[in-house]
Amino acid sequence: MIARTLRVLAIVASVGLILWLLNDLVLELFVVAMLSLLLRGLGELLAKIPRLPISLAVAIVTLGLVLLSGISVYYRGPHFIAELQDLYEKLSPAVASLEARYGSTSWGQYLISHLRTGAKGLEGPAVSVLGISFGLISTLVVVVLAATYIAAAPRRYLHGVVLMFPPETRAQVSRIMRDCGHALQWWMLGQAIDMLAVATISTVGLLILHVPLPYTLGTLAGLFTFVPYFGAWIGSVPAILMALTVNTQTAIWTVCLFLLCHLVEGYLLAPLVQRRTVDLPPAVTLLSMSIVGSFYGLAGVALATPIAAVALVVVQEAYIERARGPAENTDAPNNPRYSDR
């Protein structure tokens, strides 16, 4: 037992060292894996309709998503940037008004300093977008191409990874990789549903409340929902501040609107998806955001939850179930997290 624990600690230390040394490469590979799983899932759905070869279906899905993204950026991008600039210009007086009213208190000074820091992030978005480096664009192209090739023929690449392990563990490694893939696919589906629901409900509600820039504020709220816990509430702050520029009653109704959004997301949508994926405890989610964020910054915080989901599946199947023994794992096939694979 001591030898096994020491071996696990050595593996964890080695993985941490690799994450620290390779840094951006590891995060890029994880993004490639997530995107390839997304393309593969959509490709399998498309292949069922006209009975297309799966490789052709994946290529069609990739081309469709690239064209859709390009059209959205071309037609909606300039308007979105202009609305972000307008949002910053409208929020600055609101922050100034709060500073005049509550600046004399210690908690008011703390809150206002953080609001100013966040508002500065919206300043000059057009300059930020126009200043995207060639390296970032080339990285995005490489990620999309690599994900497309992997999604079209995943077994070829997975088999190469499995061959790196000892023969007696290859079956288990293959099963773990398959289960990690399913967990990531269902996590991405759940996040997409959550983001769409929050964006739709908040946009419609802000339109009804006559809050300025409802589409931009709703889009921001949906995008921030990608980050669990903190993102949802951070995404509501610009809308509430914008509602304060109308009147206090509108701001109160805006707070109620976002409470409704998060009640729908947390108690209606999330349980439906979590039945088919890894159910991460809140403490694990928060710790993973802190640990992964220390390695990769804001990008690590955004991707901490899927990374933690994969890590939990690996620990569960590679160590905990093995330590418990076959007699204690007889209920594993009946576990809904391992069903329909």
Side-chain angles (χ1 to χ4, degrees):
M1 185 64 182
I2 297 178
R4 181 183 299 171
T5 303
L6 292 175
R7 186 166 59 248
V8 171
L9 292 176
I11 293 174
V12 171
S14 301
V15 170
L17 182 61
I18 292 173
L19 292 176
W20 180 68
L21 291 175
L22 299 181
N23 206 331
D24 292 340
L25 178 60
V26 174
L27 197 64
E28 184 177 328
L29 290 175
F30 190 80
V31 173
V32 168
M34 290 183 63
L35 184 57
S36 65
L37 288 169
L38 175 63
L39 296 176
R40 181 71 181 188
L42 295 176
E44 289 176 349
L45 291 177
L46 180 62
K48 292 179 181 179
I49 302 175
R51 300 190 180 278
L52 292 172
I54 185 62
S55 57
L56 179 59
V58 169
I60 293 174
V61 167
T62 304
L63 182 61
L65 291 177
V66 170
L67 289 176
L68 181 62
S69 301
I71 293 173
S72 300
V73 170
Y74 181 79
Y75 285 102
R76 183 58 187 166
H79 299 286
F80 187 71
I81 294 172
E83 289 178 353
L84 281 179
Q85 188 71 45
D86 191 18
L87 176 62
Y88 169 76
E89 294 173 356
K90 283 182 167 60
L91 287 182
S92 294
V95 175
S97 176
L98 290 174
E99 184 176 10
R101 184 176 301 180
Y102 303 108
S104 59
T105 64
S106 58
W107 66 267
Q109 293 175 358
Y110 176 81
L111 178 62
I112 290 167
S113 64
H114 283 73
L115 288 177
R116 286 194 177 278
T117 302
K120 288 180 180 178
L122 297 174
E123 186 175 8
V127 176
S128 300
V129 172
L130 293 176
I132 294 177
S133 64
F134 176 78
L136 180 60
I137 297 176
S138 62
T139 300
L140 181 61
V141 172
V142 170
V143 167
V144 173
L145 289 177
T148 303
Y149 283 120
I150 294 175
R155 291 187 178 181
R156 177 185 306 174
Y157 302 95
L158 295 179
H159 183 66
V161 175
V162 171
L163 290 178
M164 298 171 61
F165 292 84
E168 64 273 10
T169 63
R170 289 174 184 172
Q172 184 186 27
V173 170
S174 179
R175 178 171 61 88
I176 291 174
M177 293 177 67
R178 184 180 67 248
D179 290 341
C180 289
H182 280 281
L184 277 179
Q185 282 182 324
W186 280 102
W187 181 87
M188 287 187 288
L189 175 62
Q191 288 302 108
I193 294 173
D194 289 348
M195 293 168 66
L196 181 61
V198 171
T200 302
I201 296 174
S202 59
T203 301
V204 173
L206 293 173
L207 280 170
I208 295 174
L209 295 173
H210 301 289
V211 177
L213 304 176
Y215 297 103
T216 301
L217 293 170
T219 302
L220 287 176
L223 291 175
F224 275 111
T225 307
F226 186 83
V227 180
Y229 302 113
F230 301 111
W233 297 108
I234 293 174
S236 65
V237 171
I240 296 172
L241 291 177
M242 185 62 70
L244 281 172
T245 63
V246 181
N247 53 59
T248 305
Q249 184 178 2
T250 302
I252 294 174
W253 280 111
T254 303
V255 172
C256 295
L257 169 65
F258 280 95
L259 286 175
L260 174 63
C261 287
H262 302 312
L263 285 174
V264 172
E265 183 269 330
Y267 292 96
L268 180 62
L269 299 178
L272 294 176
V273 178
Q274 285 177 352
R275 290 186 305 175
R276 302 294 302 272
T277 186
V278 178
D279 186 10
L280 287 174
V284 174
T285 302
L286 295 176
L287 285 174
S288 66
M289 294 170 67
S290 176
I291 295 172
V292 181
S294 65
F295 280 103
Y296 305 111
L298 292 178
V301 173
L303 295 174
T305 305
I307 292 174
V310 170
L312 194 62
V313 172
V314 173
V315 172
Q316 174 73 24
E317 300 190 15
Y319 180 71
I320 296 179
E321 292 185 0
R322 185 177 178 181
R324 290 165 59 186
E328 300 180 56
N329 291 324
T330 55
D331 61 334
N334 298 322
N335 190 327
R337 183 160 60 86
Y338 298 98
S339 62
D340 300 329
R341 299 290 167 89

